[in-house]
Amino acid sequence: GHAELLARPGKPMIISRTPFRISFFGGGTDYPAWYRQNGGAVLATTIDKYCYITCRYLPPFFEHRSRIVWSQIEHVRETAEIKHPAVREIMAFLDIQDGVEIHHDGDLPARSGLGSSSSFAVGMLNALYALKGIMPSKRQLALEAVRVEQEFLRENVGTQDQISAAFGGLNRISLGGSEDFSVSPVILPAERLQSFQEHLMLFFTGLSRNASDIAGAQIEATNQNQNNRQLTEMHQMVDEATAILSGNGDLDGFGRMLHETWQLKRSLTDRITSSHIDEIYESGLAAGATGGKLLGAGGGGFMLFFAKPEVQGSIKDRLKHLLNVPFRFESTGSQIIFYDPQSVEQRIEALSQN
């Protein structure tokens, strides 16, 4: 009976792990409304904070067909009933006919400026493809996550987050043209990369908001050509910042550029910053940071500072009411970290035959 048992397709359990990202420069040039006409570029890295998606086909013992566990627990008979928009759209897109069980776990809160919605979309696609026994390329994962978010969900998201989540690493991403996008890893000597990481600090400002609404205001302004000068400038800063990293001069210039890009970004719409955010930023600078910026669309979430290691203690003191989140860069992108092809039923069957 063993040979016959092994020949039957298993019902796998899958876990995908997809990193969150920190975007340094070029955010805003990654909206299709802008880069299809003008081209865009982004400098970003993924970090060792992840979104985990666990999924398996659900054994047919339950009244519900699928079970989806996120901040809510859903039991549904039809895909169309699923409340979580991304899960519903991706299951329909991949034509998942059987019942599934899906769990989502994240290392950091959603809506905090680290591209979590795109990490979720990429990780969900990756996991459900694996369930079907398919291994998509990183490019396919990125492009399909963009389609899901921009076309099916009609979210006001750019295109950089999905690319970072799928590919991983510290990259300069070019947007536009016939290829849609290209990814160029920024290769640095180990000590320089280490030093760069050691200059970065991340603080949680505690506010979660829906990035799509704020980005909506920004896209509206872009469509009316109010932001052209800023976006052109932001695009140019990507190359300047990449040159600073790739050179062997002082890294401080990178911090000063972050300060500059934050001033530019704040001017895009009045919803990006608030007195609370401005106060945090000013405190960081007063305590010795060279520069920094709020990550993501704005309104809350994570604040990134660039500071010499020797002043970081006083920055932490000054901002001790905020959560400081240590992190490292990561370079793997979205991965299937667990794939168990044997279902529980098969194991029971195998045991009963021994």
Side-chain angles (χ1 to χ4, degrees), residues 110-160:
R111 298 191 295 283
S112 57
L114 295 167
S116 54
S117 74
S118 300
S119 296
F120 182 91
V122 168
M124 179 64 73
L125 281 164
N126 209 356
L128 290 177
Y129 266 125
L131 204 55
K132 298 178 85 166
I134 299 169
M135 271 188 73
S137 68
K138 290 185 175 297
R139 173 170 285 270
Q140 183 187 346
L141 277 179
L143 288 171
E144 290 182 356
V146 168
R147 266 188 73 194
V148 165
E149 291 201 284
Q150 291 176 3
E151 290 173 36
F152 306 155
L153 296 173
R154 303 229 173 277
E155 291 276 2
N156 294 315
V157 293
T159 305
Q160 63 157 316

Side-chain angles (χ1 to χ4, degrees), residues 25-186:
F25 295 99
T29 73
D30 68 317
Y31 291 102
W34 172 261
Y35 69 75
R36 289 200 175 126
Q37 262 68 54
N38 310 281
V42 174
L43 178 62
T45 186
T46 46
I47 61 174
D48 61 352
K49 302 285 178 274
Y50 303 93
C51 153
Y52 296 89
I53 308 282
T54 306
C55 67
R56 62 173 185 146
Y57 287 119
L58 202 56
F61 306 121
F62 306 101
E63 278 187 15
H64 52 268
R65 194 119 145 261
S66 290
R67 178 169 192 255
I68 292 97
V69 182
W70 45 301
S71 54
Q72 304 175 23
I73 296 180
E74 303 191 52
H75 292 124
V76 300
R77 285 167 183 259
E78 299 298 328
T79 296
E81 298 167 22
I82 297 172
K83 287 199 203 77
H84 192 297
V87 176
R88 185 181 62 241
E89 294 301 330
I90 291 170
M91 280 181 61
F93 173 64
L94 293 183
D95 193 29
I96 305 281
Q97 296 292 339
D98 297 302
V100 290
E101 179 167 32
I102 294 170
H103 284 250
H104 162 252
D105 298 282
D107 285 340
L108 297 171
R111 298 191 295 283
S112 57
L114 295 167
S116 54
S117 74
S118 300
S119 296
F120 182 91
V122 168
M124 179 64 73
L125 281 164
N126 209 356
L128 290 177
Y129 266 125
L131 204 55
K132 298 178 85 166
I134 299 169
M135 271 188 73
S137 68
K138 290 185 175 297
R139 173 170 285 270
Q140 183 187 346
L141 277 179
L143 288 171
E144 290 182 356
V146 168
R147 266 188 73 194
V148 165
E149 291 201 284
Q150 291 176 3
E151 290 173 36
F152 306 155
L153 296 173
R154 303 229 173 277
E155 291 276 2
N156 294 315
V157 293
T159 305
Q160 63 157 316
D161 298 351
Q162 304 85 341
I163 299 169
S164 275
F167 282 78
L170 172 61
N171 300 306
R172 182 198 188 281
I173 300 167
S174 304
L175 297 147
S178 57
E179 282 286 275
D180 281 322
F181 71 85
S182 64
V183 177
S184 312
V186 179

Side-chain angles (χ1 to χ4, degrees), residues 5 8-11 341-351:
L5 182 73
R8 280 173 38 200
K11 289 199 171 174
Q342 259 210 330
S343 71
V344 177
E345 297 123 283
Q346 280 180 300
R347 286 203 201 109
I348 293 169
E349 198 174 329
L351 287 170

